[in-house]
Amino acid sequence: MEANTSRMVSLNGSNYHVWKGKMEDLLYVKDYYLPVFTTEKPENKTDAEWTILHRQVCGYIRQWVDDNVLNHICEETHARTLWNKLEQLYARKTGNNKLFLIKQMMRLKYTDGSPITDHLNAFQGIINQLAGMGIKFEDEIQGLWLLGTLPDTWETFRTSLSNSAPDGVITMELAKGSILNEETRRKSQGSSSQSDVLVTERRGRSQSRGPSNRGNHRSSSSKGKFADVECYHCHKKGHTMKFCRQLKKENKKKNYNNQKNKHKKDDDGDDNTEVNTTTDEFFVCYDYDMVNLANDDSSWILDSGATCHVATRKDYYSSYTPGDFGVVRMGNTGLSRIAGIGDICLKFDTGMELVLHNVKHVPDMRLNIISTGLLDEDGYHNSSGNGLWKVTLGSLIVARGKRESKLYMTHPKISKSIVNAVDNDDMTELWHKRLGHMSEKGMSILSKKNVLSGVHDINLKKCSHCLAGKQTRLAFKSRSPFRILCVFFLFQLSFLVVYFNN
């Protein structure tokens, strides 16, 4: 019998399982199987003939291996030793190889549109390799596992096969035969994505009259109406330009871009740009609302993830201690040196001052950060919502801010404990404090009588002392009328008892 070697594959290290089966068939066809699969010499052969036959088989096997495999077996002259060595190299029964095959089998999934025969061949190949390593599955488990590798578009087919299986047992042969028949049926009908198994044609009037049925009927009739009509936009038949889905998608995308560009306009009408820069060390997100963020030194960001207050400029501090205080670690694992530490007094538009203690001076930072966690430790209450943020101490509002570009920010003034020259001759605030923080109305009356010297216009600014003095305690809960009646009744009763005793 002449062997056909045109379909024979060469061993490259990754196709040992396929190569082994084909090589075994060739050895039996060529009558070279005795040196490989027997351990004893046949009686009709001499030692010299047996040795030559071993060399012939080794040479024949080495013709079907690649150069990267040949170096491992080029010195072998015994056929069975060569065969066992290849098996030890590429099919050892180790736990690692078994685990690799199990994972490969679990990851195996069929993709719609690809040949189902290739999928069945790959599945059966893994089963055969596991069986060669001593791991064997029952026939029913193999069939169920094969059905599990099919996608969700085959769900109807799986249900039909499970219900029609004899005694509820799906064998491997039944599963493979049914899958091949189903693929053949789909190809003949021109459908490879959805299964029509167990789907019956509805005849007559439908029982349901919901809006979905009306929509389906309308869409089907419109397709038939415009079957030969070509769209002027996408140049496809079956619909008009009014119902073109591609045009609707393009218009929707255009409207989104227009709205996005509209929000990116500044006061002068110039367009700002958005730049996303990614490097191995950090990620910078540059947004149009944050163009002046790095340059606005009086802006502070409220950060619930920061563990310390951070300032970028040294002249902010009312008390400052320079030195080496270590480094701060960023969210991108970057490090920045701390040049000093001190206290900063922030004055808000509420008239209140907020003193931040132990603020880290980090020159490499571009943003000033207020840690909400440290404010909480100092007894302040932080609350945010609806785009607003505020810090309260009891019922007194100390600081507030608003959300800008998805960050809660505040813009206080820097207050320092130094004496500045006053160019304004208005003595309103001074008289306000001299008169025990008199109200603006009272000072206006005195100013009209020319009692307050140096006061030209009564225009008081927000005074933190006045705001603190106007705080009131919450009223106690009022007692119920029933308790008042009970107290009155007890008083009358005690009065009567005293009266009759006397």
Side-chain angles (χ1 to χ4, degrees):
M1 179 179 179
E2 188 66 23
N4 183 15
T5 59
S6 61
R7 301 293 301 274
M8 183 60 190
V9 295
S10 181
L11 178 61
N12 57 12
S14 60
N15 60 346
Y16 174 76
H17 176 70
V18 178
W19 177 87
K20 179 182 177 182
K22 291 189 175 184
M23 180 54 66
E24 286 183 359
D25 295 338
L26 280 179
L27 292 178
Y28 276 98
V29 172
K30 290 284 188 179
D31 200 14
Y32 288 160
Y33 65 94
L34 288 177
V36 178
F37 303 110
T38 58
T39 57
E40 297 180 357
K41 183 189 67 160
E43 296 180 355
N44 58 350
K45 291 185 180 295
T46 61
D47 293 340
E49 293 175 347
W50 185 244
T51 302
I52 293 175
L53 185 58
H54 270 278
R55 292 297 301 270
Q56 290 177 348
V57 173
C58 290
Y60 186 76
I61 293 176
R62 279 192 284 263
Q63 291 181 4
W64 299 104
V65 297
D66 288 350
D67 293 340
N68 58 345
V69 182
L70 182 63
N71 295 328
H72 300 286
I73 57 175
C74 62
E75 301 295 334
E76 297 294 338
T77 57
H78 194 274
R80 184 168 180 82
T81 304
L82 185 147
W83 189 265
N84 292 336
K85 191 169 185 179
L86 290 176
E87 185 175 1
Q88 288 292 324
L89 286 174
Y90 303 109
R92 294 184 62 185
K93 298 179 181 180
T94 60
N96 191 22
N97 291 340
K98 296 177 182 178
L99 181 60
F100 172 76
L101 291 176
I102 291 294
K103 288 184 177 180
Q104 189 177 6
M105 189 173 181
M106 294 176 66
R107 290 193 299 263
L108 183 63
K109 296 293 181 182
Y110 173 67
T111 305
D112 284 325
S114 60
I116 194 66
T117 53
D118 295 345
H119 176 71
L120 296 178
N121 184 46
F123 183 83
Q124 188 63 49
I126 298 176
I127 290 291
N128 294 341
Q129 293 182 59
L130 288 173
M133 292 187 178
I135 301 178
K136 296 182 179 180
F137 297 99
E138 296 183 0
D139 193 50
E140 183 179 2
I141 295 179
Q142 296 181 20
L144 294 174
W145 201 324
L146 178 60
L147 293 180
T149 60
L150 300 177
D152 294 337
T153 55
W154 291 65
E155 183 63 31
T156 308
F157 166 75
R158 281 197 294 257
T159 304
S160 174
L161 183 60
S162 301
N163 295 333
S164 61
D167 299 331
V169 178
I170 302 178
T171 60
M172 185 63 172
E173 295 298 327
L174 176 62
K176 288 197 293 187
S178 301
I179 290 174
L180 291 174
N181 293 335
E182 175 65 14
E183 180 67 13
T184 303
R185 186 192 65 79
R186 292 190 179 195
K187 288 183 178 179
S188 63
Q189 295 183 358
S191 172
S192 60
S193 60
Q194 295 291 337
S195 177
D196 297 332
V197 180
L198 294 180
V199 177
T200 58
E201 181 182 0
R202 294 186 298 176
R203 298 182 181 273
R205 187 174 181 178
S206 175
Q207 298 296 328
S208 60
R209 301 183 182 181
S212 59
N213 282 341
R214 292 197 299 270
N216 294 336
H217 177 70
R218 189 179 295 110
S219 62
S220 61
S221 62
S222 62
K223 288 183 179 179
K225 182 179 179 180
F226 303 108
D228 298 330
V229 178
E230 181 179 351
C231 176
Y232 291 119
H233 181 73
C234 65
H235 303 289
K236 294 182 180 180
K237 292 185 177 182
H239 64 276
T240 60
M241 187 175 178
K242 180 180 179 181
F243 303 101
C244 182
R245 295 183 179 179
Q246 183 177 350
L247 178 61
K248 292 180 179 179
K249 290 181 179 179
E250 292 177 358
N251 292 336
K252 186 177 180 181
K253 186 176 181 180
K254 187 183 298 182
N255 294 335
Y256 172 77
N257 293 332
N258 292 337
Q259 292 179 1
K260 188 175 181 181
N261 294 331
K262 183 179 179 181
H263 289 297
K264 288 165 60 178
K265 294 277 188 179
D266 58 3
D267 297 338
D268 298 333
D270 297 333
D271 291 340
N272 297 312
T273 57
E274 291 188 7
V275 180
N276 292 332
T277 304
T278 307
T279 67
D280 295 337
E281 297 181 357
F282 61 92
F283 176 80
V284 178
C285 202
Y286 182 74
D287 195 31
Y288 68 94
D289 281 341
M290 299 176 64
V291 172
N292 297 325
L293 186 60
N295 298 326
D296 191 358
D297 295 333
S298 62
S299 299
W300 293 74
I301 292 181
L302 289 307
D303 192 353
S304 61
T307 58
C308 61
H309 305 305
V310 177
T312 60
R313 294 176 53 177
K314 182 179 178 180
D315 54 355
Y316 285 171
Y317 290 83
S318 58
S319 62
Y320 184 78
T321 303
D324 186 8
F325 294 93
V327 295
V328 292
R329 183 179 297 275
M330 309 296 178
N332 56 6
T333 67
L335 301 177
S336 297
R337 184 181 63 87
I338 301 175
I341 193 171
D343 299 339
I344 296 179
C345 182
L346 304 178
K347 188 173 183 179
F348 295 86
D349 56 357
T350 59
M352 301 298 295
E353 294 182 351
L354 177 63
V355 180
L356 303 179
H357 301 283
N358 299 325
V359 182
K360 313 292 185 183
H361 178 211
V362 183
D364 295 339
M365 293 285 290
R366 296 295 179 266
L367 304 173
N368 303 311
I369 298 176
I370 297 178
S371 174
T372 57
L374 294 182
L375 292 180
D376 185 68
E377 293 180 0
D378 293 338
Y380 295 97
H381 175 71
N382 295 274
S383 61
S384 59
N386 297 326
L388 299 176
W389 163 85
K390 64 179 179 179
V391 173
T392 58
L393 185 62
S395 60
L396 180 64
I397 299 178
V398 179
R400 58 189 175 186
K402 60 182 180 179
R403 187 176 62 184
E404 300 177 11
S405 186
K406 301 180 182 179
L407 294 174
Y408 283 101
M409 301 180 60
T410 182
H411 305 276
K413 297 180 180 179
I414 305 299
S415 178
K416 297 183 180 180
S417 58
I418 58 177
V419 178
N420 297 323
V422 179
D423 297 331
N424 190 6
D425 296 333
D426 192 5
M427 304 291 290
T428 304
E429 293 187 7
L430 180 59
W431 278 107
H432 171 69
K433 296 178 181 179
R434 284 178 178 178
L435 297 175
H437 296 274
M438 180 180 284
S439 65
E440 185 175 347
K441 183 177 180 180
M443 293 185 64
S444 299
I445 296 173
L446 296 178
S447 178
K448 291 178 181 179
K449 295 180 180 181
N450 297 325
V451 177
L452 306 178
S453 61
V455 177
H456 305 289
D457 186 17
I458 305 298
N459 187 13
L460 289 177
K461 298 180 180 179
K462 292 182 180 180
C463 179
S464 60
H465 302 284
C466 294
L467 293 175
K470 290 181 180 179
Q471 295 186 85
T472 57
R473 297 180 62 183
L474 296 176
F476 293 102
K477 295 182 179 179
S478 59
R479 295 189 178 94
S480 61
F482 177 76
R483 175 177 174 82
I484 298 176
L485 291 176
C486 291
V487 174
F488 179 75
F489 176 75
L490 292 175
F491 174 75
Q492 293 292 339
L493 182 61
S494 62
F495 177 78
L496 292 175
V497 171
V498 174
Y499 177 77
F500 283 111
N501 288 337
N502 293 333

